Amino acid sequence: MGGWRTDPMFAMCRALTDGADLSSFADGPFDVRAVVAGIRPGAKNGFLLDEVPWEHFPQGDRVREAVHLLHTGNSPVHTGAGVVGGMCADDMRAAAVLAVPFLIRIAADTRHPYRAHALAEVSGPARARHFGIASREELLLHRAGTRHDDYDEYGVEVTGYPAGWSVAAARAAITADTAFLQTLLHDPDPAIRIDATYALATATDSGHAVRASFRTRLAAEPDPIVRAALVLATAEATRTHPHPPTTAWIRERWEDRTPAPEVRLAAAIGWLCLTDEPAPESLRAIVDDLATEERAHAMEALPWMAAAGGSRETGLRRCVRKMLRPEQPDPADCDDPWCPHH
């Protein structure tokens, strides 16, 4: 982690450890939510990186340099977009959040050689504690609070920084740039469309305009895996902003024999996350019939499934087990990173 203890923000984290009230630091120079909200549109569009106080957060200068190298196209991916992903994996999101508006603009540039890599990193800071999560209670779940109560919901990052502030700031950054991401729903590359959908599902106003954009794209989308992504994103947005008609619509997607199997499976998982009703026998029968091993591996292209799975279990298989057969134990070595999926 380098010299993060010497960063100015560390004094705040130390004060919190000593019992200070987190709300007393809200809207200050080390509140990443306030910092992100204060970045001018012109600075984002013009990549005026010097206007952003990267130095206020651990390894911020490293993130700034990564964004600069990625933007100019002079960087191998592992020293550009990979920096953001690596920091999120290390549970250090605060500085990574500052990169989100710039990563979105790189992704929106159809001529940029690393646009797909940039887009794949956008969602990382907006999601915390979601790897290996596959239960009805927690899959697709976002903690709703955005103020100091997030400190309890998400805990702290390895630096001691309140993780909920980072997540809230990332979601706000994505919300501010939904127009860029909605354009990417129509990109020629299916992987771009999936990652744009995954990012948009975290937008804080996705109960209305963004959710409607998923439905609109679904009507025109030819790829069954992308259609499954759009259904899962609709369910995620609906879990954040409950909307009974949408929950009913998602149920119709798994009951209807017309949609592709991947879409019906995504709808079944999404519906289970949106309701406390016992799983109907008809749903169990559909899942047992459609959740083949081949399809489970194909659906690993969905970021939700890739995050939910374990080293010996695909995401779809884990979701089915956790949601429909919770009494079954985890496979041995289910989180061994060196074991392949089975």
Side-chain angles (χ1 to χ4, degrees):
M1 292 187 296
W4 67 267
R5 287 177 178 272
T6 65
D7 288 331
M9 185 217 68
F10 181 64
M12 183 189 87
C13 296
R14 184 169 55 195
L16 294 173
T17 301
D18 292 340
D21 186 346
L22 178 62
S23 63
S24 66
F25 294 97
D27 301 318
F30 305 115
D31 182 345
V32 72
R33 301 167 304 171
V35 172
V36 166
I39 302 175
R40 296 187 307 108
K44 291 187 279 189
N45 295 334
F47 283 81
L48 305 180
L49 303 182
D50 288 341
E51 290 194 16
V52 180
W54 308 89
E55 68 280 1
H56 285 193
F57 304 96
Q59 298 206 20
D61 288 339
R62 180 179 173 223
V63 177
R64 182 207 178 283
E65 180 65 12
V67 170
H68 169 70
L69 292 173
L70 192 64
H71 173 234
T72 58
N74 294 325
S75 167
V77 172
H78 73 277
T79 58
V83 168
V84 172
M87 290 183 65
C88 291
D90 290 339
D91 199 18
M92 294 177 64
R93 289 177 174 78
V97 170
L98 302 178
V100 169
F102 303 104
L103 291 175
I104 290 172
R105 282 158 177 77
I106 292 171
D109 182 354
T110 58
R111 299 166 298 177
H112 200 286
Y114 299 135
R115 60 191 299 259
H117 300 282
L119 181 59
E121 302 297 340
V122 166
S123 300
R127 288 181 166 89
R129 301 189 176 186
H130 66 294
F131 285 103
I133 299 299
S135 67
R136 294 179 70 173
E137 294 75 21
E138 293 192 284
L139 187 72
L140 310 183
L141 178 65
H142 291 298
R143 276 68 178 176
T146 58
R147 304 306 296 176
H148 65 275
D149 56 355
D150 277 333
Y151 187 66
D152 296 324
E153 292 287 349
Y154 284 107
V156 297
E157 300 175 5
V158 295
T159 60
Y161 193 78
W165 280 13
S166 297
V167 173
R171 294 184 67 195
I174 288 169
T175 301
D177 285 328
T178 54
F180 286 103
L181 293 166
Q182 285 174 318
T183 298
L184 296 177
L185 293 178
H186 309 281
D187 194 89
D189 185 346
I192 292 280
R193 300 199 298 275
I194 288 173
D195 284 338
T197 302
Y198 191 56
L200 280 165
T202 67
T204 55
D205 66 349
S206 57
H208 301 289
V210 174
R211 186 165 55 199
S213 71
F214 295 152
R215 295 277 294 270
T216 298
R217 179 60 206 175
L218 185 65
E221 178 56 56
D223 189 301
I225 297 293
V226 182
R227 291 204 298 273
L230 290 162
V231 169
L232 279 173
T234 301
E236 184 173 343
T238 304
R239 183 152 201 186
T240 303
H241 304 276
H243 187 243
T246 299
T247 300
W249 175 84
I250 290 174
R251 177 166 185 155
E252 292 170 3
R253 301 283 72 71
W254 62 258
E255 289 181 322
D256 188 354
R257 293 179 178 271
T258 304
E262 296 84 357
V263 174
R264 298 182 73 190
L265 287 167
I269 290 169
W271 183 82
L272 287 168
C273 293
L274 291 174
T275 177
D276 294 328
E277 294 181 34
E281 286 304 316
S282 58
L283 181 146
R284 293 176 180 272
I286 288 167
V287 170
D288 287 342
D289 180 48
L290 299 181
T292 64
E293 200 67 32
E294 180 181 5
R295 197 161 284 129
H297 282 283
M299 290 182 71
E300 287 293 285
L302 298 171
W304 295 269
M305 296 297 99
S311 54
R312 289 191 178 274
E313 203 171 27
T314 60
L316 178 62
R317 288 294 190 192
R318 179 172 279 194
C319 286
V320 170
R321 178 171 61 82
K322 290 286 191 181
M323 295 183 184
L324 300 180
R325 303 177 185 91
E327 73 283 356
Q328 293 184 0
D330 291 338
D333 300 323
C334 65
D335 290 316
D336 180 352
W338 304 110
C339 291
H341 289 318
H342 292 292

